[in-house]
Amino acid sequence: MKIVILTGAGVSAESGLGTFRDKGGVWTKYDLQEVATPEGFARDPAKVIDFYNMRRRNAAGAKPNAAHFALAKLQAEYAHEIALITQNVDSLHEAAGSEAIHMHGAHGQARCTSCDARWTAPLVMSLDDACPTCSETTTRPDVVWFGEVPLYLPEIAIHLRTADLFVAIGTSGTVYPAAGFVAEASQSGAKCLEINLEPSNVAGQFDEVILGPATETVPAWVERVLAGD
Ligand code: APR
């Protein structure tokens, strides 16, 4: 039974990284049009670089939690295929030992808009940073902004078409295309499970919803899967 998992900010919430849309979330404090769109970057690149420097610094001090570790255990021990897709730009899945498909990029990576080279971002990026490949100073955080096309969509589409079970964890179901994955997987015949603190905007499209903090619900679910329940 192939399992395809989509994670969102809720999986990292208990590691101390704020979500986007909950009370006190990132988009209640910052205008996403200013800091997370290509237009915002064109208007005020320094502001955008500073925003991601702040997010990178916060994430650098964060540790993976029991949900990340449980998903890594599942990837290591499950007898069949697991695809882990994340909307998160932190690296907590990797820190826990998982391999994840980062559809919204990673703020630990920088990218050159001239030659498309990618490299590990310094903790503090600067507009003067030169691309290590072409030397242009056209660098940006390697994250997908609103209005840009997420990464790895063809690969993800294949995973969704071939999933037997689709599980969304800690995501509000607000941002497409990820919010539409449940519909795609369901149309392909997958059973769909949502694990979230509260019902997401698309909770009605899942066959089953488990509510609670990810550090409790995810390890419990993983143990059930590994026990063959
Ligand atoms: N355990 C489980 N779920 C949680 C927890 C927790 N401890 N804390 C919060 N949640 C849930 C919330 O109930 C909410 O449904 O996580 C979800 C977080 O939703 P968002 O803040 O909207 O984050 P996400 O869905 O990942 O956002 C999608 O939006 O801004 C963009 O690119 C950004 O990747 C992000 C995308």
Side-chain angles (χ1 to χ4, degrees), residues 8-158:
V11 84
S12 296
E14 290 164 89
S15 292
L17 300 182
T19 62
F20 294 97
R21 298 174 181 81
D22 293 308
K23 195 160 172 274
V26 176
W27 300 146
T28 67
K29 296 184 207 148
Y30 295 89
D31 182 345
L32 69 84
Q33 297 296 341
E34 285 180 17
V35 296
T37 62
E39 296 77 16
F41 187 59
R43 266 194 307 270
D44 193 345
K47 183 175 198 167
V48 175
I49 294 282
D50 282 351
F51 173 74
Y52 285 97
N53 283 343
M54 178 273 294
R55 303 244 303 140
R56 196 177 304 108
R57 235 187 341 262
N58 287 346
K63 302 258 183 300
N65 64 47
H68 299 105
F69 283 117
L71 292 174
K73 181 178 176 188
L74 184 66
Q75 263 190 330
E77 295 182 13
Y78 187 60
H80 308 281
E81 194 185 348
I82 301 266
L84 177 59
I85 305 162
T86 188
Q87 300 167 86
N88 297 345
V89 294
D90 66 50
S91 56
L92 293 180
H93 282 307
E94 287 74 15
S98 277
E99 258 182 49
I101 299 170
H102 280 265
M103 64 177 289
H104 290 171
H107 58 28
Q109 291 268 114
R111 176 157 70 87
C112 174
T113 57
S114 299
C115 75
D116 220 30
R118 290 177 156 89
W119 63 97
T120 302
L123 190 59
V124 181
M125 282 183 73
S126 149
L127 287 175
D128 302 327
D129 290 345
C131 168
T133 302
C134 74
S135 304
E136 293 290 331
T137 51
T138 47
T139 68
R140 56 168 277 184
D142 190 19
V143 297
V144 175
W145 288 324
F146 289 92
E148 296 184 319
V149 180
L151 307 171
Y152 312 112
L153 289 181
E155 185 185 332
I156 291 171
I158 293 170

